[in-house]
Amino acid sequence: MSEILTLPLRSLKSLKRFEDYNPIAVFVFFAGAILPAMFCLDIILLLISFAGGMSLLFSLKGKAAAKSLFLYLIVPIAGFILNPLFYHNGKTVLFLINDTPITFESAFYGMSAGLMITAVLVWFRAFSLIMTSDRLLYIFGAASPKLALILSMTLRYIPLYTRQIKKIRMASKAMGLYREDTLIDRLRGSVRVFSAMVTWGLENGVITADSMSARGYGIGRRSRYAIFGWLAFDGLLIAASAILCAGVLVGAGFYAFGFEYYPEISAVPISAASCLCYAAYGILVFIPVFINIKEGLTWRSLQSET
Amino acid sequence: MTDKGSKKILKIIIPYVLIPAVILAGVFVFSEKAYAWISLAVAILSVGLFYTTFERKKEKARKIVVIAVMTTLSVVGRFVFAAIPGFKPITAIVVITAVWLGGESGFLVGSLSALISNFYFGQGPWTPFQMLAWGLIGLFAGYLSAPLKKSRLLLSLYGIFAGVAFSLIMDVWTVLWYQGGFSIRLYAAALLTALPYTVSYAVSNVIFLLLLGEPFGRKLERVKIKYGV
């Protein structure tokens, strides 16, 4: 009996999508994935990074990510075309425009830099999708409970104030104070609404503060409410991200890989060390997708068991 | 080791060991992007250092709440003025908060507004720089509190300065990141393409400060006197 019960439960414990890992672990992962892409201008590394980031976007958003793929590819193409118009360094002159040389090196640099920007943007897009405000709040709370308090208050106030603004706007409209004929009118109307909002917000806030003090805010150490737990898998994710990222960075420091762009494009020759670095980074950026696929398979096998 | 002892050691370790180590390691690892790395690390660490000093202080609940209220107003202000394109009152609110409640509140409202509006508009490598830029605009407004309170002209000038400074700070990063080193030509090009935005920031800052400065200041003053924030 216990055999039957413990088996699915144990697998259930590991049954977490990447998004559901402890936010601190997820944050460390993102830092590890983004850092090399942000500061190593190596086209192979950047392609790996872009592929990893896009695969995560696909697993988060499904087919909707395909549309953005083309949008993201515009940046490196624009870099390829625009950079040589501004920069004329490089040996290989392709052609001349008004006696200024257009060089291949400059175009290639533009493309690499564009790919770097794109890769980082893709990663931050995934970061924004996963790191919802409650998750970021949890991370901030770990570092600074007081800041987390201010942040959570603000996040609660935003919808509250938005509603209140609507009310004030309707009231001032009903009183005939609100016209939208000219720009000046609109500005004055908005200022009036905003001004009422400030008074309301401050008065309301002071009442909240008094209520907080009455309940003993500021006595003793500030603790926090943590909604996310820790599992062994979270520690594993942190360790893997840190070790793989550190490996790539050490490789970059010792020129195991990398590119020279000017005056002539020259790559560090492919060696065992460079392959190791690329492989490490490849494993790192595909961790989320790997976790999600594994989760999908476990889920299916569990379904077929029952 | 006691909790207090470890905190004291942290206080020494962070500025004298951790920060130089992070920067030196970055310079070694990211040889061609070292400047971009240094500027990002400095932005994050300086905002972080400011936050840790704030964390250590004993603060009254009222101050905390007022900071949250002003941060919310600067974020929500975008929606209030959505009818007028290009008008965002964040800078104005940050400056007003700083002038009436002090530079520290200004820094917090500025940096947190940047962080929270990016919840809606997307986080990116620009987030730490926006946090630092708006935070510093608030911090300096706090230092200049006395003259800014007295003269509307100086307040307007500060609005222009804030609009320009914001663009200057943000574009330094753009150039360093894209080019690796600092190139004055690319910086000039970046500033030039951003010029319409810079001008509209500066103009709207001035208009907001002139329109909102007096009444908001009175309101904050009133709350300060009435409730003793």
Side-chain angles (χ1 to χ4, degrees):
Chain A
M1 182 68 189
S2 66
E3 270 288 294
I4 304 165
L5 263 178
T6 48
L7 211 131
L9 267 182
R10 194 182 297 152
S11 10
L12 266 179
K13 254 192 168 176
S14 67
L15 196 64
K16 287 206 297 185
R17 284 181 65 80
F18 176 70
E19 305 84 289
D20 300 326
Y21 275 63
N22 188 291
I24 292 176
V26 174
F27 188 86
V28 171
F29 166 80
F30 271 109
I34 291 175
L35 264 186
M38 211 175 205
F39 298 110
C40 301
L41 205 55
D42 180 296
I43 196 119
I44 299 171
L45 190 91
L46 288 170
L47 283 173
I48 296 172
S49 184
F50 183 66
M54 275 319 283
S55 71
L56 177 56
L57 269 190
F58 268 106
S59 92
L60 287 172
K61 288 179 66 182
K63 276 184 187 157
K67 271 185 209 154
S68 54
L69 180 65
F70 295 105
L71 218 67
Y72 285 123
L73 285 177
I74 289 176
V75 187
I77 295 170
F80 185 78
I81 298 168
L82 292 178
N83 199 55
L85 298 181
F86 293 99
Y87 272 89
H88 313 296
N89 291 358
K91 258 182 168 173
T92 324
V93 178
L94 294 176
F95 50 88
L96 295 169
I97 297 179
N98 294 339
D99 290 334
T100 46
I102 300 299
T103 64
F104 174 68
E105 283 81 4
S106 183
F108 192 75
Y109 183 90
M111 189 183 67
S112 308
L115 190 61
M116 167 187 80
I117 292 170
T118 288
V120 171
L121 285 182
V122 168
W123 279 108
F124 269 104
R125 179 88 190 98
F127 179 84
S128 298
L129 285 174
I130 290 177
M131 284 292 171
T132 46
S133 50
D134 54 330
R135 291 188 169 86
L136 267 185
L137 212 56
Y138 171 81
I139 296 172
F140 256 88
S144 162
K146 217 196 254 168
L147 271 184
L149 175 68
I150 296 179
L151 273 180
S152 74
M153 273 179 164
T154 308
L155 288 171
R156 191 271 168 275
Y157 279 154
I158 287 171
L160 182 73
Y161 281 28
T162 316
R163 269 205 302 280
Q164 188 67 17
I165 284 167
K166 264 187 207 142
K167 278 189 204 162
I168 296 172
R169 198 170 263 165
M170 284 196 290
S172 59
K173 234 178 215 167
M175 288 162 76
L177 283 170
Y178 200 78
R179 292 187 312 166
E180 293 192 329
D181 302 341
T182 63
L183 200 68
I184 305 282
D185 249 9
R186 266 188 275 172
L187 186 63
R188 284 176 62 188
S190 298
V191 167
R192 194 179 295 120
V193 170
F194 202 45
S195 182
M197 194 59 236
V198 174
T199 314
W200 185 87
L202 284 172
E203 293 272 341
N204 218 35
V206 170
I207 295 169
T208 311
D210 285 348
S211 162
M212 279 165 62
S213 307
R215 289 160 206 229
Y217 172 83
I219 301 169
R221 252 187 93 232
R222 175 138 191 93
S223 61
R224 72 200 175 100
Y225 169 63
I227 198 168
F228 300 96
W230 283 96
L231 286 180
F233 282 94
D234 299 311
L236 212 63
L237 180 62
I238 290 185
S241 309
I243 291 168
L244 290 171
C245 176
V248 177
L249 295 184
V250 168
F254 285 105
Y255 296 101
F257 61 94
F259 271 78
E260 283 290 334
Y261 290 88
Y262 302 118
E264 197 173 12
I265 293 168
S266 60
V268 173
I270 297 279
S271 62
S274 64
C275 287
L276 211 63
C277 284
Y278 291 138
Y281 191 62
I283 294 170
L284 176 65
V285 296
F286 283 103
I287 284 178
V289 179
F290 173 71
I291 289 173
N292 284 350
I293 289 175
K294 197 206 76 180
E295 183 259 6
L297 290 178
T298 323
W299 179 239
R300 269 177 53 190
S301 72
L302 277 177
Q303 274 183 321
S304 58
E305 263 174 40
T306 46
Chain B
M1 197 188 298
T2 59
D3 196 36
K4 236 184 173 176
S6 66
K7 260 194 184 146
K8 230 179 190 172
I9 288 175
L10 270 182
K11 213 171 152 185
I12 300 166
I13 285 179
I14 289 176
Y16 297 111
V17 180
L18 195 67
I19 293 180
V22 163
I23 288 172
L24 284 178
V27 170
F28 164 69
V29 171
F30 310 120
S31 40
E32 80 258 42
K33 291 271 175 215
Y35 297 109
W37 163 258
I38 292 172
S39 57
L40 183 67
V42 166
I44 292 174
L45 292 170
S46 48
V47 172
L49 208 64
F50 195 91
Y51 285 169
T52 40
T53 42
F54 174 71
E55 178 68 29
R56 270 204 293 271
K57 274 191 200 162
K58 270 240 173 284
E59 221 68 73
K60 272 200 271 180
R62 277 176 179 165
K63 191 171 179 189
I64 303 255
V65 174
V66 169
I67 289 170
V69 167
M70 294 313 278
T71 309
T72 315
L73 286 170
S74 75
V75 176
V76 169
R78 260 177 205 262
F79 309 131
V80 177
F81 292 95
I84 307 136
F87 270 53
K88 295 177 207 83
I90 294 192
T91 310
I93 304 252
V94 171
V95 172
I96 292 168
T97 310
V99 168
W100 266 272
L101 299 177
E104 190 188 44
S105 307
F107 189 96
L108 287 167
V109 170
S111 56
L112 292 177
S113 301
L115 181 69
I116 290 173
S117 29
N118 284 348
F119 280 156
Y120 300 91
F121 299 97
Q123 308 284 355
W126 49 81
T127 305
F129 291 93
Q130 283 180 343
M131 290 173 77
L132 185 67
W134 266 317
L136 288 179
I137 286 169
L139 190 66
F140 288 130
Y143 289 141
L144 300 170
S145 161
L148 287 181
K149 240 187 235 181
K150 261 186 233 144
S151 153
R152 283 162 73 91
L153 178 70
L154 282 181
L155 197 64
S156 314
L157 283 178
Y158 193 81
I160 295 173
F161 161 77
V164 174
F166 188 78
S167 283
L168 289 178
I169 293 178
M170 298 305 293
D171 283 335
V172 166
W173 157 252
T174 316
V175 170
L176 286 179
W177 190 37
Y178 181 81
Q179 197 57 39
F182 188 79
S183 139
I184 196 82
R185 274 180 57 202
L186 194 65
Y187 188 52
L191 285 180
L192 205 67
T193 46
L195 194 65
Y197 296 98
T198 312
V199 170
S200 83
Y201 281 148
V203 170
S204 70
N205 285 349
V206 171
I207 293 176
F208 271 125
L209 281 172
L210 290 180
L211 277 178
L212 305 177
E214 284 277 325
F216 278 32
R218 255 184 301 167
K219 279 167 210 236
L220 282 173
E221 198 70 35
R222 180 171 157 275
V223 170
K224 245 163 98 175
I225 294 168
K226 186 173 172 190
Y227 299 107
V229 172

